[in-house]
Amino acid sequence: MTRNLPGGALAPADDLILSRAGYGAMQLAGPGVFGPPGNRDEAVAVLRAAVDLGITHIDTSDYYGPVVVNEIIKEALFPYPADLHIVTKVGARRTGDGGWVPSLEPGKLKAQVRENLEHLGLETMDVVNLRLASFEGASDQSIAEEFGALAELRQEGLIRHLGLSGASDAQLTEAQGIAPVVTVQNLYNLANRQDDALVDRCAAENIAFASFFPLGGYTPLQSRTLTDVAVRLDASPQQVALAWLLQRSATTVLIPGTSSVAHLRENVAAAELELPADAIAELDAIGK
């Protein structure tokens, strides 16, 4: 029997039950998602608090740090709770100065999966997302070779489920023709609504849609409407923005990041915030 999960439970596959309010581990690295955190003990405490709060969905990648974040996850949570699902991404590498470069050759993708497994202390990854784009925007370029490489690892038992990050509708269709897709992770929030149709498609096909930068990312969401709604509901603007995402579709999931236990608790509390219809109508207008 599934326990009560923050934001409710979503099962994009029979053996994959996610808390819709999850946690994104990116901010556990140092500035610029590079190097070690300033306070490793706090980073460990955040991860343990996330599990204590009922979160069963942690988003990470070996290129956070790089390696640093996955090693902290292992330190904090290994051996992992049976119902905890760790979702990672492959498709990029970090340069010595902290830059991000694509790394999508099939052999390199397979090596990245194995590195994630090693640094997390796992034999099988629950979900691996193929990172195609970040905030530069998705394209319709074929991903058959890249996704096919990950599908081969799924056949070998190193990956249970596959997903996409920074993908277009056409790429999702192509991927589904190769292997089932259980997650899509794209840039999407109150002010960035280009993927409205893809969000609806994911809901129709029971695919978890995780928006990265749910609170705006490098340019935090700022809206008088958002602030006004938050004041009326006695909540923070960030909580309202997260609650809007949860109510946007039945298969949206949240993976906001933080390096603070207090901030983590605020984010999880957003899952309990019920937005009335008039507030949703006002918020919907922000992205139009």
Side-chain angles (χ1 to χ4, degrees), residues 116-193:
N116 275 273
L117 289 168
E118 176 186 354
H119 297 136
L120 289 164
L122 292 169
E123 295 182 355
T124 304
M125 287 300 314
D126 281 333
V127 184
V128 175
N129 287 325
L130 174 63
R131 178 192 187 270
L132 300 167
S134 182
F135 32 83
E136 63 267 24
S139 75
D140 289 340
Q141 182 175 347
S142 174
I143 59 170
E145 189 176 14
E146 297 87 346
F147 196 75
L150 298 183
E152 289 175 7
L153 293 187
R154 178 174 173 268
Q155 289 293 324
E156 294 174 22
L158 295 183
I159 302 172
R160 291 192 179 91
H161 301 288
L162 297 174
L164 299 171
S165 178
S168 68
D169 184 81
Q171 289 171 329
L172 173 57
T173 297
E174 183 180 35
Q176 290 277 48
I178 298 169
V181 174
V182 301
T183 64
V184 170
Q185 186 181 113
N186 278 17
L187 172 61
Y188 186 79
N189 55 49
L190 267 172
N192 294 275
R193 304 275 297 282

Side-chain angles (χ1 to χ4, degrees), residues 192-207:
N192 294 275
R193 304 275 297 282
Q194 297 91 335
D195 276 345
D196 267 336
L198 189 57
V199 171
D200 292 337
R201 176 181 175 181
C202 287
E205 298 181 19
N206 195 41
I207 297 170

Side-chain angles (χ1 to χ4, degrees), residues 227-241:
T227 301
D228 289 347
V229 169
V231 169
R232 292 206 313 266
L233 298 179
D234 193 26
S236 71
Q238 293 82 4
Q239 287 176 319
V240 171

Side-chain angles (χ1 to χ4, degrees), residues 209-276:
F209 186 97
S211 58
F212 63 76
F213 292 160
L215 299 175
Y218 299 122
T219 53
L221 296 174
Q222 295 186 17
S223 162
R224 178 61 182 269
T225 300
L226 176 59
T227 301
D228 289 347
V229 169
V231 169
R232 292 206 313 266
L233 298 179
D234 193 26
S236 71
Q238 293 82 4
Q239 287 176 319
V240 171
L242 293 174
W244 178 86
L245 281 168
L246 277 181
Q247 292 181 229
R248 168 64 181 83
S249 128
T251 64
T252 52
V253 294
L254 304 178
I255 50 169
T258 179
S259 58
S260 158
V261 172
H263 189 201
L264 171 70
R265 294 184 184 280
E266 291 176 9
N267 288 341
V268 172
E272 303 301 319
L273 182 61
E274 187 72 26
L275 301 178

